[in-house]
Amino acid sequence: MKHPRRLAAAMAILVLSPLAACTGRSEAEMPPAAATSPPPAGAGPAEGDPAPMPAGQDGGWKLAFSDEFDGGSLDTSRWADRSSAEPDSGRGNPGNQQLEWNQAANCQVGGGELTMTAKREPVTSPDTGQRYDWTSCLITTRKSYAFQYGYLEERSILPAARGFWPAFWTWQVRGTDQQVETDVYEFYSDNHTKLYSTQYSGAQGRCDWQPSFDPSAGWHTYGVAIEPGGTTWYADGRQVCHTGATSAGPTNIISNLAVYSKIPPDASTTSAVKRVDYIRAWSRS
């Protein structure tokens, strides 16, 4: 989840689909917020049902990892709440324009979904003494699942209030001496008309694309196929971007809700949520 607005303008995008436009609209042109809150996610597939496939994919994939968030708490055998991507104790990264300290207390499971909550509350890092004015939630599969190639998918609702930076991405496993990262999406909540999808490995490639929907107004699926021949991104089962760049090594899955220091939340904003129905990963069958 390196900050995409820091990337050089000359960074190569090898193939760009027609939907992956690189222009955005002003805040005044953003879609209006939904009048009512979207419904709860509900239960995942029942026992004995066929294994789910990625949205829009008919076959060719075998389910390798999934969490439907149907229990009453975060499954700590699958998820850790700290990552080597966050250099301050695995929980904070102020050098990457992030204001939050991540902790498991902000990751709540119930009603068939995971609720990631960013809260305006002070905390001080016990290792560095760095003060944070926000807490939030980050989860990673570093305990349970690593992969180089495969298909990832998250179904989620992103926060509406400005100042937040939710993402779904991968990060290299411990012991890897190079950055290996794929961002399925990054969303800056000051602009509901643009999403960022980036492959940081190898030749690198990136798309800034305009969704046909407001990511904060309802449930949508965000997916990526990372394969030896390239990386292809999907939204609600439709391809939105492709690059010939691909992963250079094994990675873990990460989902998080960061607080963005460059365009911070309004003074009156005390919290925001990212709702996650499920996170799944497939390998080639």
Side-chain angles (χ1 to χ4, degrees):
M1 198 184 73
K2 182 186 289 184
H3 194 291
R5 297 177 187 179
R6 291 179 175 175
L7 294 179
M11 181 178 181
I13 301 176
L14 302 185
V15 179
L16 196 63
S17 80
L19 294 178
C22 292
T23 59
R25 288 174 283 176
S26 69
E27 200 168 359
E29 296 175 293
M30 292 193 307
T36 58
S37 178
E47 186 175 353
D49 286 350
M53 293 294 295
Q57 302 286 316
D58 294 329
W61 298 102
K62 179 181 179 181
L63 190 66
F65 173 90
S66 69
D67 196 337
E68 307 297 323
F69 302 111
D70 286 340
S73 62
L74 189 70
D75 185 345
T76 55
S77 69
R78 290 175 175 155
W79 301 105
D81 66 343
R82 62 173 71 193
S83 167
S84 60
E86 311 297 298
D88 187 354
S89 312
R91 300 187 185 279
N93 194 359
N96 195 44
Q97 301 182 2
Q98 295 172 231
L99 295 176
E100 81 287 349
W101 174 265
N102 296 296
Q103 56 187 17
N106 295 57
C107 312
Q108 299 295 314
V109 174
E113 63 185 76
L114 165 67
T115 301
M116 297 181 161
T117 303
K119 299 179 182 179
R120 190 187 292 272
E121 58 182 359
V123 64
T124 299
S125 168
D127 293 336
T128 66
Q130 171 75 39
R131 177 187 166 90
Y132 297 84
D133 291 326
W134 287 82
T135 62
S136 195
C137 170
L138 176 150
I139 57 173
T140 171
T141 62
R142 69 173 179 84
K143 287 183 173 183
S144 62
Y145 182 69
F147 75 104
Q148 180 170 358
Y149 303 122
Y151 195 112
L152 304 184
E153 187 173 271
E154 175 187 274
R155 185 172 186 252
S156 55
I157 301 174
L158 308 185
R162 62 179 282 155
F164 299 95
W165 178 12
F168 181 44
W169 48 302
T170 74
W171 183 255
Q172 68 264 18
V173 300
R174 287 183 179 274
T176 303
D177 61 0
Q178 61 177 318
Q179 182 180 0
V180 186
E181 176 182 350
T182 305
D183 294 346
V184 185
Y185 72 79
E186 295 180 272
F187 174 70
Y188 294 87
S189 60
D190 62 288
N191 183 355
H192 291 206
T193 68
K194 186 175 286 189
L195 289 162
Y196 299 86
S197 299
T198 310
Q199 177 56 260
Y200 284 103
S201 300
Q204 304 193 354
R206 172 180 158 207
C207 298
D208 305 349
W209 58 278
Q210 290 182 301
S212 60
F213 52 83
D214 180 351
S216 73
W219 294 103
H220 295 279
T221 60
Y222 304 95
V224 66
I226 307 168
E227 301 187 86
T231 306
T232 307
W233 288 268
Y234 298 86
D236 295 330
R238 295 183 61 200
Q239 181 178 330
V240 296
C241 180
H242 173 82
T243 176
T246 191
S247 175
T251 60
N252 300 126
I253 302 170
I254 298 178
S255 187
N256 72 309
L257 173 55
V259 186
Y260 184 35
S261 68
K262 189 173 180 181
I263 305 176
D266 295 337
S268 61
T269 301
T270 59
S271 66
V273 299
K274 169 181 167 179
R275 298 169 60 185
V276 181
D277 179 10
Y278 63 75
I279 294 174
R280 298 170 182 159
W282 293 262
S283 59
R284 272 295 182 194
S285 59

